């Protein structure tokens, strides 16, 4: 029988010198006085420094607490860069930095950037030696200005509105009904699409056959020639016409205005190579939605750039990244995860997360290299990938195709590989990047001359 509530203690035989086995807290008033004295002495030793470090304003993790704002662990690298404060400088100014935290909304990022800028504007940095002030230190009358040691208060999370009259639209809106309809529509979206496809003569089995052939998106089906669809087992000529007709209703393949093309290209991002000079030569970095080729002699750093891009593509767009994962096809066995960890340490990223975001595959022949692109298209349809690296592109073609007698077959196979790369870039709007060194002469109709 256990003890519960305010009942009588049974078998309460306090023997064996129980006074020495009981903990009492009769010294609380004295401890309170000692803590107060310790705080006062510590504040005196701090001098003019703030009593607390500056931390970001973040919201709770669940729906229950997401409406409240509290102090977070530290500012992100994106927030520091937008506010113009370096990472090492922030640590010396009492600003806490957390390289693991990520900004998931522009509102939260702008709020903390404004918080950093307000803190820097109000901050007074006293020089170590008044006779030799450094850059950014206070001088003259600023040293005699009134200061406060209290930290910036957290912003008000609520947007206060003036009282107004409720409109008829707001009065007639049914929030519960709208939520139920939205959930039902999302739950039955797959069945609705399957039913629409079946009405036009496309069954789920046909969709599965297209996916097995490497066509995982509507764009891929629209860009595929009719004879390629007819070559798939179980797809007749009439069914291929229906599939192409329905795909072209969704994907525009006709003429478009230059304004639409300009708006689409303005949304493309460039992934930094890690070198400001090289980014300037490339117009900002590796452009998305296109193929970028690296060529040069042996040991000139092409694979190192590939390893760097595999990490920088995971950075936020504000830091020159693509906010996505990386696909790495290796044909020569030069992939080294240790290089990725070194680059991740440079940018302050978590090494384990960087390695998990890189999907690696080793290609052993030209046909296998082509087959890996079909697997890559399936992965791109499931998750967000920002970069596809092939290192190198023509190494296997030099061994699988020998002599001038196989030159035509070699060029046809290589052209098909490059066309598949370009199709993937058009489908998912990602940069498709491969690296090359020391190759034979290739006609200019297929690719540029590789050294």
């Amino acid at each position: 029988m256990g003890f519960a509530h305010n009942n009588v203690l049974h078998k309460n035989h306090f023997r064996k010198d129980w006074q020495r086995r009981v903990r009492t807290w009769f010294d609380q008033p004295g401890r309170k006085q000692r803590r107060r004295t310790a705080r006062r002495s510590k504040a005196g030793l701090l001098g003019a420094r703030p009593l607390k470090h500056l931390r970001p304003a973040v919201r709770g993790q669940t729906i229950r607490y997401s409406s409240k704002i509290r102090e977070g662990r530290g500012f992100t690298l994106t927030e520091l860069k937008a506010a113009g404060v370096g990472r090492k400088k922030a640590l010396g100014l009492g600003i806490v930095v957390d390289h693991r935290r990520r900004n998931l909304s522009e509102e939260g990022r702008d709020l903390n950037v404004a918080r950093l800028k307000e803190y820097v504007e109000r901050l007074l940095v006293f020089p170590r030696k008044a006779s030799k002030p450094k850059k950014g230190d206070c001088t003259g009358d600023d040293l005699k200005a009134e200061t406060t040691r209290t930290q910036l208060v957290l912003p008000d999370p609520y947007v206060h509105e003036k009282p107004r009259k409720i409109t008829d639209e707001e009065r007639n809106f049914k929030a519960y009904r709208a939520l139920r309809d939205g959930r039902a529509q999302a739950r039955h979206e797959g069945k609705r699409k399957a039913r629409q496809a079946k009405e036009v003569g496309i069954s789920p089995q046909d969709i599965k056959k297209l996916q097995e052939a490497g066509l995982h998106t509507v764009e891929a089906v629209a860009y595929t020639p009719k004879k390629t669809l007819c070559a798939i087992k179980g797809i007749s000529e009439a069914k291929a016409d229906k599939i192409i007709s329905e795909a072209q209703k969704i994907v525009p393949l006709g003429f478009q205005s230059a304004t639409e093309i300009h708006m689409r290209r303005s949304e493309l991002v460039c992934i930094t190579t890690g070198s400001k000079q090289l980014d300037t030569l490339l117009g900002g970095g590796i452009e998305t939605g296109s193929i970028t080729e690296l060529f040069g002699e042996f040991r000139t750093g092409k694979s190192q750039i590939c390893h760097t891009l595999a990490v920088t593509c995971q950075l936020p767009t504000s830091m020159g990244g693509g906010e996505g994962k990386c696909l790495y096809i290796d044909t020569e066995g030069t992939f080294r995860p240790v290089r990725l960890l070194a680059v991740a340490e440079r940018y302050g990223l978590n090494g384990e997360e960087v390695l998990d975001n890189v999907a690696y595959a080793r290609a052993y022949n030209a046909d296998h290299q082509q087959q890996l692109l079909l697997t890559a298209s399936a992965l791109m349809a499931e998750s967000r990938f920002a970069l596809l690296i092939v290192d190198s592109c023509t190494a296997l073609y030099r061994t699988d195709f020998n002599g001038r007698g196989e030159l035509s077959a070699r060029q046809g196979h290589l052209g098909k590989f490059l066309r598949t790369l370009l199709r993937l870039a058009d489908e998912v709007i990602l940069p498709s990047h491969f690296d090359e060194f020391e190759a034979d002469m290739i006609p200019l109709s297929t690719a540029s001359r590789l050294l």
Side-chain angles (χ1 to χ4, degrees):
M1 182 178 181
F3 298 94
H5 309 295
N6 196 23
N7 297 329
V8 180
L9 302 179
H10 56 280
K11 296 182 180 180
N12 51 350
H13 303 291
F14 300 112
R15 297 191 179 92
K16 297 183 181 179
D17 197 9
W18 64 272
Q19 292 88 348
R20 293 191 298 116
R21 294 176 172 82
V22 175
R23 177 73 172 92
T24 59
W25 288 271
F26 298 142
D27 57 345
Q28 285 303 297
R31 284 178 174 270
K32 181 179 180 180
Q33 183 65 28
R34 287 199 298 270
R35 288 194 296 268
R36 183 177 182 183
T37 305
R39 287 196 300 268
R40 183 177 300 175
S41 60
K42 181 179 179 180
L45 294 175
L46 288 176
R49 286 182 289 178
L51 296 177
K52 295 194 309 180
H53 293 296
L54 182 68
R55 297 182 183 273
V58 299
R59 294 185 179 269
Q61 299 296 321
T62 59
I63 299 178
R64 181 177 182 181
Y65 300 105
S66 60
S67 60
K68 300 179 181 179
I69 287 184
R70 60 175 178 85
E71 288 187 345
R73 187 180 185 90
F75 290 91
T76 62
L77 301 179
T78 306
E79 294 168 350
L80 293 175
K81 184 177 181 180
V85 181
R87 181 181 181 183
K88 294 184 179 179
K89 181 181 177 181
L91 298 177
L93 298 180
I95 302 174
V96 186
V97 182
D98 185 10
H99 66 275
R100 298 167 295 182
R101 186 169 150 260
R102 298 288 181 268
N103 293 109
L104 301 180
S105 66
E106 294 182 0
E107 292 80 4
R109 181 196 61 190
D110 297 340
L111 179 65
N112 288 319
V113 170
R115 184 173 171 84
L116 282 171
K117 290 182 178 179
E118 182 182 1
Y119 178 79
V120 173
E121 290 178 359
R122 297 174 52 182
L123 189 66
L124 296 178
V125 181
F126 291 91
R128 292 181 178 272
K129 292 184 179 181
S131 59
K132 296 182 179 180
K134 296 182 179 180
K135 183 180 180 181
D137 294 346
C138 298
T139 56
D141 296 336
D142 293 339
L143 298 175
K144 302 177 182 179
E146 295 184 1
T147 59
T148 177
R149 303 177 63 182
T150 58
Q151 196 56 267
L152 297 179
V153 296
L154 291 174
D156 190 359
Y158 302 103
V159 179
H160 300 280
E161 298 181 1
K162 294 182 179 181
R164 60 178 177 82
K165 186 178 180 181
I166 299 177
T167 61
D168 295 338
E169 184 180 356
E170 293 174 344
R171 185 180 288 106
N172 298 328
F173 178 72
K174 307 296 182 181
Y176 178 76
R177 185 72 265 167
L179 288 175
R180 295 290 296 179
D181 293 343
R183 291 172 182 171
Q185 191 172 8
R187 184 170 60 252
H188 300 294
E189 184 68 20
K191 296 180 180 179
R192 188 178 294 107
K193 289 183 177 180
R195 184 169 60 252
Q196 293 175 357
K198 192 173 182 180
E199 290 176 357
V200 297
I202 303 175
S203 62
Q205 291 75 14
D206 297 334
I207 298 176
K208 186 177 180 180
K209 294 175 183 178
L210 294 175
Q211 292 178 348
E212 292 176 353
L215 306 176
H216 297 272
T217 60
V218 182
E219 290 82 358
V221 177
Y223 299 155
T224 304
K226 179 180 177 180
K227 63 177 183 179
T228 305
L229 294 179
C230 295
I232 301 175
K233 185 178 180 181
I235 302 296
S236 61
E237 185 175 355
K239 188 170 292 185
D241 292 334
K242 291 182 180 180
I243 293 174
I244 294 176
S245 176
E246 294 299 324
Q248 290 180 354
K249 292 179 181 179
I250 302 175
V251 180
L253 298 179
F255 288 97
Q256 299 179 3
S257 64
T259 304
E260 296 177 355
I261 302 299
H262 176 68
M263 292 179 60
R264 187 182 306 172
R265 288 193 58 82
S266 62
E267 297 176 355
L268 298 178
V269 298
C270 293
I271 299 177
T272 177
T273 59
S275 172
K276 295 182 179 180
Q277 291 77 8
L278 184 56
D279 291 344
T280 304
L281 293 175
L282 296 175
I286 303 298
E287 187 184 69
T288 57
S290 60
I291 296 179
T292 304
E293 173 187 352
L294 293 179
F295 62 94
E297 297 181 357
F298 180 64
R299 297 181 64 86
T300 54
K302 300 179 298 299
S303 296
Q304 180 61 35
I305 295 179
C306 293
H307 285 77
T308 304
L309 290 171
V311 179
T312 57
C313 69
Q314 306 178 30
L315 294 172
T317 54
S318 58
M319 297 180 63
E323 296 184 2
K325 301 179 182 180
C326 174
L327 285 167
Y328 202 108
I329 299 178
D330 185 13
T331 62
E332 297 176 321
T334 57
F335 178 74
R336 297 295 181 269
V338 180
R339 299 184 185 179
L340 302 183
L341 295 176
V343 179
E345 184 179 358
R346 170 193 172 186
Y347 288 98
L349 301 177
N350 189 352
E352 295 182 359
E353 294 181 358
V354 169
L355 295 181
D356 292 338
N357 292 332
V358 177
Y360 170 80
R362 175 71 185 276
Y364 296 97
N365 53 66
D367 295 333
H368 186 209
Q369 181 175 326
Q370 178 71 26
Q371 184 66 28
L372 288 177
L373 291 185
L374 302 180
T375 308
S377 62
L379 295 176
M380 293 175 185
E382 298 175 357
S383 181
R384 175 184 172 86
F385 285 87
L387 183 67
L388 171 61
I389 298 175
V390 183
D391 184 15
S392 72
C393 180
T394 60
L396 298 175
Y397 288 93
R398 293 195 297 268
T399 57
D400 294 354
F401 300 91
N402 299 320
R404 294 184 177 273
E406 297 183 352
L407 180 60
S408 177
R410 165 183 160 178
Q411 297 303 100
H413 200 290
L414 181 58
K416 182 180 179 181
F417 178 79
L418 295 177
R419 180 65 189 91
T420 308
L421 272 179
L422 188 59
R423 192 197 70 187
L424 287 177
D426 293 336
E427 292 174 14
V428 297
I429 311 300
L430 59 80
S432 181
H433 172 78
F434 65 88
D435 133 80
E436 187 48 57
F437 72 91
E438 279 191 77
D440 298 331
M441 179 72 74
I442 294 180
L444 296 176
S445 60
T446 303
S448 60
R449 185 177 184 272
L450 308 181
L451 301 179

